[in-house]
Amino acid sequence: MSQIMSDKAAEPVGPYPHARRVGRLLFLSGIGPRKRGSQDIPGVELGANGQIVSYDFEKQFHSMMENIKNVLAASDATLRQIVDVQVFLTDMKTDFQKMNKVYAEYFAEIGPTRTTVEVGALPTPIAVELKVIVDLDADKS
């Protein structure tokens, strides 16, 4: 088993690696849209109390996918090798259709299995987080 840390993806918000390899499988920790080296979250406007005032779901999703791609690159893997996706949304009613639209841009051709759940909150003021499992033996192209 080996731990993987990307020097390009946002730092984890706790004492855990970006990913862990076990045999031919790679398990990514939950990855959100925060930018590396800052608390900046693309598309999120925070109020004085740190609560979300407004957010652009698509901007968050695209930023999160860049973080995922960076972790995969550090693992010598690609999006095409993802076999399972867990999606965590803070507002299923508002964001599920938006999520499906932007999700399809990345995963429609790949076809991983997916579970989507609504959660009360995520560790930072974000609307979406993904956790993925990768088959490192799968074709990268």
Side-chain angles (χ1 to χ4, degrees), residues 97-115:
Q97 294 305 321
K98 294 178 209 171
M99 185 274 299
N100 270 336
K101 178 182 174 280
V102 70
Y103 179 95
E105 294 176 28
Y106 294 95
F107 296 111
E109 291 182 25
I110 300 167
T113 59
R114 184 183 92 189
T115 302

Side-chain angles (χ1 to χ4, degrees), residues 89 92 110:
L89 299 175
M92 186 79 73
I110 300 167

Side-chain angles (χ1 to χ4, degrees), residues 12 16 20 23 30 39 68 83 87 94 114-115 131 141:
Y16 54 86
R20 179 167 217 138
Q39 297 303 311
I68 289 171
V83 295
V87 181
T94 301
R114 184 183 92 189
T115 302
K131 178 171 179 38
S141 55

Side-chain angles (χ1 to χ4, degrees), residues 22-92:
V22 180
R24 67 184 187 95
L25 296 177
L26 182 69
F27 298 86
L28 271 66
S29 296
I31 305 284
R34 195 169 33 84
K35 290 295 186 186
R36 182 165 185 85
S38 77
Q39 297 303 311
D40 181 45
I41 302 167
V44 175
E45 180 185 347
L46 299 177
N49 61 359
Q51 296 298 316
I52 298 172
V53 173
S54 67
Y55 64 92
D56 181 318
F57 185 86
E58 289 189 17
K59 281 185 182 178
Q60 282 192 61
F61 200 98
H62 290 299
S63 181
M64 174 187 62
M65 290 304 299
E66 286 305 308
N67 281 329
I68 289 171
K69 287 180 187 177
N70 285 328
V71 173
L72 293 175
S75 308
D76 193 31
T78 69
L79 288 177
R80 297 203 64 79
Q81 294 172 291
I82 294 175
V83 295
D84 184 68
V85 179
Q86 296 175 26
V87 181
F88 302 93
L89 299 175
T90 58
D91 188 342
M92 186 79 73

